[in-house]
Amino acid sequence: AQTVTQSQPEMSVQEAETVTLSCTYDTSESDYYLFWYKQPPSRQMILVIRQEAYKQQNATENRFSVNFQKAAKSFSLKISDSQLGDAAMYFCASFTDKLIFGTGTRLQVFP
Amino acid sequence: KAGVTQTPRYLIKTRGQQVTLSCSPISGHRSVSWYQQTPGQGLQFLFEYFSETQRNKGNFPGRFSGRQFSNSRSEMNVSTLELGDSALYLCASRESAVNTEAFFGQGTRLTVV
């Protein structure tokens, strides 16, 4: 069975600063994918970044990057140069045959 | 390309009634998945349809059912509604069964009174 754990219910960051959101996962599959999704107040889930488990290189997407530690089953998201528009719920998810989500981290960004 | 479209956006139903939600995937996408989001249980997988066949099913009672049409549009039906079915129902589409990138609609907010 897949499980995804996000231990930080809420995080806050000052505008232009860097913040890291934590996520751990567990799966018995060798082939899987990991995702971070953002859910703003509009409720639409937006894909932030994707990591293939077989790739050792950490994924990067503009100001968003991940720290993928496969042995530790850890998949954290780093947001650099935080912007007010980054304020949202962030969900970590794993995919083998379906998406399994963590409980989410609410990120607040202060000016 | 238009995104994933879910209708209606908001719905209020009475206990015991049934409801049907609709999801139109991105053009060319053949996989549609449904998720329930509640404050207590978070995001939970309901089921996935691909080429009109249910590929995968989550741990929900038989009151929750779905189907997919030949144009890939999907409907989800909940019968004998309970107060606990109040939730945001999200639909996601993928290009194929092996493509992992899922695109979500804005959801249908169902309130059961």
Side-chain angles (χ1 to χ4, degrees):
Chain A
Q2 299 176 74
T3 59
V4 177
T5 303
Q6 292 180 253
S7 58
Q8 304 157 317
E10 287 193 11
M11 291 284 284
S12 61
V13 64
Q14 205 88 25
E15 208 176 356
E17 296 296 308
T18 296
V19 64
T20 299
L21 309 184
S22 301
C23 172
T24 57
Y25 65 94
D26 195 14
T27 177
S28 55
E29 301 291 330
S30 57
D31 186 18
Y32 57 91
Y33 298 79
L34 299 167
F35 300 87
W36 279 96
Y37 278 90
K38 170 185 177 181
Q39 188 178 41
S42 68
R43 296 293 187 177
Q44 183 159 15
M45 300 285 278
I46 301 164
L47 177 63
V48 174
I49 199 163
R50 178 178 74 173
Q51 175 79 43
E52 292 89 343
Y54 62 86
K55 286 188 178 178
Q56 290 187 328
Q57 187 173 5
N58 289 326
T60 300
E61 197 71 45
N62 300 315
R63 298 182 296 107
F64 299 88
S65 61
V66 298
N67 183 2
F68 175 44
Q69 300 290 324
K70 192 171 183 177
K73 293 186 176 176
S74 169
F75 182 62
S76 61
L77 174 70
K78 185 171 85 171
I79 306 174
S80 304
D81 186 25
S82 297
Q83 301 175 358
L84 295 177
D86 294 334
M89 282 290 289
Y90 285 82
F91 291 94
C92 178
S94 71
F95 181 95
T96 53
D97 60 346
K98 58 183 176 287
L99 276 170
I100 300 296
F101 289 90
T103 50
T105 297
R106 181 174 302 282
L107 178 66
Q108 292 183 299
V109 182
F110 294 103
Chain B
K1 245 186 203 181
V4 179
T5 303
Q6 290 188 246
T7 56
R9 291 290 308 281
Y10 302 92
L11 209 47
I12 300 175
K13 288 287 189 178
T14 305
R15 262 184 308 174
Q17 286 186 312
Q18 74 163 17
V19 67
T20 299
L21 312 182
S22 179
C23 172
S24 292
I26 291 171
S27 177
H29 285 200
R30 295 166 63 194
S31 165
V32 174
S33 298
W34 289 88
Y35 295 83
Q36 182 196 64
Q37 185 176 24
T38 60
Q41 299 297 318
L43 279 149
Q44 293 186 285
F45 172 77
L46 280 154
F47 30 64
E48 180 190 7
Y49 286 86
F50 178 77
S51 293
E52 302 178 65
T53 302
Q54 189 180 85
R55 280 190 77 236
N56 212 340
K57 191 177 189 309
N59 191 25
F60 278 81
R63 300 185 296 107
F64 292 81
S65 63
R67 58 177 176 169
Q68 187 180 34
F69 301 95
S70 58
N71 62 356
S72 294
R73 189 177 72 86
S74 176
E75 287 182 348
M76 189 191 94
N77 185 75
V78 188
S79 63
T80 320
L81 283 165
E82 300 176 0
L83 296 179
D85 297 333
S86 295
L88 180 69
Y89 291 88
L90 292 165
C91 162
S93 79
R94 292 189 288 133
E95 190 172 351
S96 69
V98 296
N99 189 305
T100 62
E101 192 164 339
F103 296 86
F104 284 81
Q106 290 189 287
T108 294
R109 168 74 67 186
L110 171 65
T111 302
V112 182
V113 297

